[in-house]
Amino acid sequence: MIERTAEVGTAGFLRVLAVDDEPPALDELAYHLRADPRVARLHTAGDATEALRVLRDGDVDVVFLDIRMPGLDGMELARVLRRFARPPAIVFVTAYDDGAVDAFDLGATDYVRKPVRAERLAESLRRVIGARVVPSHPAALARAEEDPTIPIELAGTTRMLPRSAVRWVEAQGDYARLHTADGSHLVRVSLATLAERWADAGFVRIHRSYLVQLKLIAELRLVNSGYVVVIDSAELPVSRRHTRELKDKLVRAAKQDWNR
């Protein structure tokens, strides 16, 4: 059933759709959203079919979307929404963290873990509003696409880390540790997945356990056991199978810089 509410006060201006196949979870999400003064109109839907019906009948600014649903799941629905002439912002609301990277590859504005908290949803709405007021000039959109963000958890808060802040990545089982200039962050995604997705951004595989930003390599050094690269004073091993390819890439990058 689609629920439509009256406008909530004069301060509200966001048109919101909440989608979840579990009624208690949907009720809780709707309760918190309805209480926020920035929400002017709230619709709810129990699955993707109902959600698309709401979207067909009127414009929506943001969709708060569960991921694991029967039929068309949240990721699939988000891909459909991206093809709209005026796509709404997407905020995924889920009990799982294994879809975070996929979510932000789809351009999600935020990724909220269940159980939802009022203050966390308020932060999501702030991000939605911030994204809506950013100029939609093609150059601005291109910059956003070139430097996507990765959601990381810090003391119960989800922080958006720009990919450009990542210096190198270390495999840790099914997880990857992202090393930045001021620390490191563990995310649930495999190194192989990041190597494939970030290749066009200059990240290269140097070892089965390491992925590095090519332009940040300060040295390629021969040691007793083989080669290492130096990034931010850290020495990272280069496997034999990756050595020749890495040397070639470093030479090509140097030639391109020289010819500019």
Side-chain angles (χ1 to χ4, degrees), residues 7-237:
E7 292 192 359
V8 185
T10 57
F13 56 91
L14 285 176
R15 297 160 296 183
V16 180
L17 169 61
V19 187
D20 198 311
D21 66 304
E22 298 181 357
L26 183 58
D27 289 345
E28 181 182 21
L29 178 58
Y31 172 80
H32 290 304
L33 289 171
R34 193 179 292 114
D36 193 292
R38 292 165 293 187
V39 176
R41 187 174 297 275
L42 175 67
H43 305 274
T44 61
D47 56 33
T49 301
E50 283 192 48
L52 289 171
R53 192 175 300 127
V54 172
L55 293 162
R56 179 197 63 194
D57 294 341
D59 290 335
V60 167
D61 298 308
V62 54
V63 179
F64 283 79
L65 181 58
D66 187 25
I67 292 180
R68 299 191 181 183
M69 299 186 297
L72 199 68
D73 68 21
M75 290 292 181
E76 293 166 330
L77 178 57
R79 293 186 181 95
V80 172
L81 300 183
R82 285 190 68 184
R83 297 198 291 268
F84 280 27
R86 296 174 59 189
I90 300 293
V91 174
F92 286 103
V93 183
T94 177
Y96 308 94
D97 62 3
D98 55 359
V101 172
D102 287 334
F104 284 87
D105 279 349
L106 287 171
T109 301
D110 204 355
Y111 192 94
V112 178
R113 289 288 304 276
K114 294 179 180 178
V116 297
R117 295 177 290 112
E119 58 270 25
R120 185 65 183 84
L121 288 179
E123 170 65 13
S124 290
L125 289 169
R126 186 192 65 76
R127 291 176 182 174
V128 169
I129 294 167
R132 281 163 52 85
V133 300
V134 171
S136 58
H137 188 278
L141 296 176
R143 286 194 296 271
E145 291 176 358
E146 289 170 3
D147 193 16
T149 56
I150 305 100
I152 57 173
E153 292 292 328
L154 290 173
T157 299
T158 303
R159 172 187 165 198
M160 303 303 135
L161 178 73
R163 183 176 62 190
S164 59
V166 179
R167 318 287 284 181
W168 48 282
V169 185
E170 180 182 4
Q172 294 193 348
D174 294 332
Y175 291 74
R177 183 167 292 280
L178 310 180
H179 291 264
T180 66
D182 57 359
S184 67
H185 312 281
L186 197 64
V187 294
R188 188 171 182 177
V189 60
S190 70
L191 191 73
T193 297
L194 289 181
E196 179 181 351
R197 294 179 179 176
W198 291 4
D200 292 341
F203 284 84
V204 296
R205 193 80 173 260
I206 62 168
H207 189 278
R208 67 181 181 181
S209 297
Y210 294 97
L211 180 70
V212 304
Q213 174 55 265
L214 184 71
K215 66 183 181 182
L216 298 179
I217 294 176
E219 293 181 30
L220 175 62
R221 180 188 303 163
L222 180 63
V223 295
N224 294 334
S225 57
Y227 282 92
V228 298
V229 296
V230 179
I231 298 180
D232 297 337
S233 75
E235 293 188 357
L236 309 176

